[in-house]
Amino acid sequence: MRIAIGCDHGGFPLKQRVVSVVQAAGHDVVDCGTDSSCAVDYPDFARKVGETILAGHADRGILLCGSGVGICVAANKVPGIRAGVCHDTYSAHQGVEHDDMNVLCLGSRIVGDEVAAELVRAFVNAIFTKEERHVRRLNKVLEIERDALAGKFTG
Ligand code: RB5
């Protein structure tokens, strides 16, 4: 697979380890920045990874920020992106297997390098099961997205 990897300055300390783990697992990395610890805005990198996936230049993404939360919230605003913050290995693979999660979000202030490495391996090795109940639920998620884009949630 091609994995788009993006982070803000909060996630930057974890980035190189994540890149190495993805490559060691036999996947290609699409580097979406940032490239230093200089302060930047996490939505810019969530957007870049999301757009990279939607454009077909990557199959999945990994996003890193301080907590994993901000960059996950931003990524989920990109239609077609299903991002989750996973700091346990069960969620990192089950999110793909049941929910077709296509972006893993990690907080570099929450997990260390080796836990992050295990989370990344769990994510990239997982496959959506396509079991009927999971497809049914995914279709309901996609319906929410379609309705929102069609302006049905006007408050
Ligand atoms: C940056 O200081 C920090 O707010 C950001 O990396 C992230 O944790 C937001 O959720």
Side-chain angles (χ1 to χ4, degrees):
M1 282 190 296
R2 296 156 303 163
I3 311 283
I5 297 180
C7 65
D8 72 353
H9 55 291
F12 183 70
L14 209 49
K15 184 181 177 189
Q16 191 47 54
R17 180 73 174 130
V18 167
V19 166
S20 300
V21 170
V22 167
Q23 290 172 334
H27 304 286
D28 295 324
V29 168
V30 181
D31 188 347
C32 293
T34 189
D35 300 316
S36 78
S37 294
C38 294
V40 290
D41 298 333
Y42 62 78
D44 298 337
F45 300 92
R47 182 182 188 125
K48 188 157 187 195
V49 164
E51 287 179 338
T52 298
I53 294 169
L54 294 186
H57 300 314
D59 304 293
R60 292 187 197 171
I62 299 175
L63 286 167
L64 318 166
C65 71
S67 64
V69 174
I71 211 156
C72 183
V73 169
N76 278 311
K77 298 299 180 189
V78 180
I81 296 304
R82 293 174 295 282
V85 182
C86 301
H87 289 148
D88 65 277
T89 52
Y90 177 78
S91 302
H93 66 80
Q94 193 254 18
V96 177
E97 292 160 356
H98 290 196
D99 312 322
D100 204 18
M101 174 175 75
N102 54 11
V103 174
L104 172 71
C105 300
L106 303 176
S108 77
R109 297 172 189 160
I110 313 300
V111 292
D113 278 22
E114 294 315 310
V115 172
E118 292 193 13
L119 294 166
V120 167
R121 284 187 209 107
F123 173 65
V124 299
N125 287 331
I127 295 169
F128 182 47
T129 66
K130 296 188 179 167
E131 286 172 40
E132 191 277 333
R133 69 188 192 283
H134 299 316
V135 171
R136 183 180 70 243
R137 292 161 189 161
L138 175 60
N139 283 335
K140 290 187 178 188
V141 171
L142 298 177
E143 189 178 5
I144 295 170
E145 190 172 80
R146 275 196 304 275
D147 285 352
L149 289 172
K152 292 189 181 175
F153 298 157
T154 52

